[in-house]
Amino acid sequence: MKALGFLPIVAILLLVVEMLVTNELAGFGKKVAETDRAIDALREENQLLQEKVASLSSLVTIEEKARVLGFTLTPKVVIAGKEDVAFQR
Amino acid sequence: MARIWIIFPLILVLYGLLVVRLFYWQVVRSSDLRLEAASQYYLTFTLPAQRGSILASDGKPLVLNQSAYLVYGEPRKITDVPSFAGQVSPLLGFETKDIQATLTQPERVWVPLAHKVEASRVNELKSLNLAGLGFEKEPKRMYPEGSMSAHLVGFVGSDENGNDQGYFGLEGFYNRELGGKDGMLQLERDVRGQPILVGETRRIEPEDGRSLVLWVDRSVQRSVQKRLLEGVTKYGAKSGSVVVMDPHTGGILASASVPSYDPGRFGEFAREAYKSSIVADSYEPGSTFKVLIMAMGVEKNAVTPTTIIDETGPVPVGDYFIRTWDNRYRGQISTTDVLVHSSNVGMVFVQKKLGKEGMLDALHRFGFGEPTGIDLQEETSPELRDDDEWKEIDLATASFGQGIAVTPIQMVRAVAAIANGGKLVTPQVVKAIRDSAGKTIGVTSRKSTQVLSARAARVTTEMMIAAVDRGEAKWAKPKGYPIAGKTGTAQIPVAGHYDEEKTIASFVGFAPADDPKFVMLVTLREPTASPWGSETAAPLFFTIAKDLFSYYGIAPQ
């Protein structure tokens, strides 16, 4: 019977805890918003890096870099015929 | 008692009015008020869908999204409008007075200042730390390869609601697949506007747009674009086009038209530049058309490669006379020589052997008069006369490609049927579609139709090889490569007659002829260096072909 007397106290305590937790969660919205902003910032950075990769791997860029490095366009292709080889079986 | 009977009805009337008013607010206006209340305690965000990319056959992007922003102003938060405008306008590239005028519009709490501003510029604006200056994501399209393949990809503009909309080319044709579907997030918010985590949340995820993987080979496209530009300049042409197609699959390996435009700055170009001439412009094909009529003649056993024709002079057709292009008449020649010397007289002979039915069957079988079904938005097809409207002279001139209009894509598709053993394929730019997770969905390959027998295709190929080896363009042909092709020089119809000087020079062909890797059509409109296809379009074709042989590692035989 004595034990039953504690029940209301426990109930009140649990109620208070629930109210505190709910209140805490209700205020988490700000943290969620901040996390979302951080995710957006990382996505933005990924996007910018993707753009940079696309730009650097474009044929226009590669051709220009190749030209600066001294490469030339496809040279004249000379095909050696059978009669041109040094050794023939 | 009398006073009660006076007051009681009054109370009843007042009570009735109250009920009516309550009915009005709680029933009639309930939905409006509910929405208004929801807007106060709900935050609603649009979760924009990312537009899909357009990738070349090697997976590298021809078109992708670039980070950009809508820059807006909130006039009520700006204390010094002239100073604000003075700081912002140079970075946005506008006049200060224009920005000021925008910000001082009466009753405006929010005004857009600039659309699709690049991230680097936005960072500079952010560093000004100006109150009343805001930014919202508004990605724009980026073209790493510049204006290469502009006519294939099209561009992204706005619809009447200001939303992104693809126009022309692939952006137009596949606008729905590329655009995706925006999502929505609705959160309960507190008095400070922050979301309440345990509150009611509704979320609809955005469906990002799908990406397109093309048949287009970047290197082939770049080579074709470059050579076409050189050719148009060298031969003094008004315009030109080149299309390269895989004859077995119908996959478009490259497609270029000059003049072109920059899809990133499409507003700075005339609207006429947006359409690809390869699918949207028609022309009279001239002598290139002869190979198709000859193929049908062989198919129907009307002629063989060695059938002899008497080319003694102009041939009468009704009230007209059909002459050769050079007014030379070579006596007894074979049908192969008809192609070699591009004899109009010889082609009239073939046409008469085919008859009206055979000629019309040829036009229908090769798909003329109808769009090819290529996946580009602006494809059109010139109409053919009704079958019963063809006169004798029409059939005769059609046999050598005059008096009939085609588009370049129709022409190259028809010749591809000779290259691939007789199948009329559907040209396709897109090889596969990928969803946002990278999973390939694939493109249903469209049915091809057998329009020629393999025998007729093989025989016609041999005749076309002879036309290249012994014809007017033999001087430009790369040695050691079997190339099947035909030159064309068509007069341009102007106001009911043909212009004496202006021509459309063209060359159509495929190589290597025994196992074709590509079929290509080159057209040059009004070349001034020479009107003849053999002296302009043919050498340009062979120059591009040499690039392709080198790129594909095809050795001469």
Side-chain angles (χ1 to χ4, degrees), chain B residues 151 225 228-229 232 238-241 256-260 277:
Chain B
H151 285 117
Q225 191 109 9
L228 175 61
L229 205 54
V232 165
K238 202 170 163 186
S239 61
S241 68
S257 301
V258 168
S260 184
S277 60

Side-chain angles (χ1 to χ4, degrees), chain B residues 460-480:
Chain B
T460 312
T461 298
E462 292 300 324
M463 296 170 81
M464 289 171 70
I465 293 173
V468 171
D469 288 347
R470 295 193 282 126
E472 292 294 317
K474 62 178 184 273
W475 60 274
K477 176 191 171 290
K479 289 185 175 35

Side-chain angles (χ1 to χ4, degrees), chain B residues 330-345:
Chain B
R330 295 172 175 85
Q332 296 209 320
I333 57 170
S334 67
T335 44
T336 301
D337 287 334
V338 166
L339 287 187
V340 169
H341 301 297
S342 202
S343 166
N344 297 341
V345 168

Side-chain angles (χ1 to χ4, degrees), chain B residues 70-74 84 130 132-136:
Chain B
L70 162 68
V71 179
Y72 63 87
E74 293 171 282
F84 181 99
L130 291 171
L133 184 65
F135 309 93
E136 209 172 283

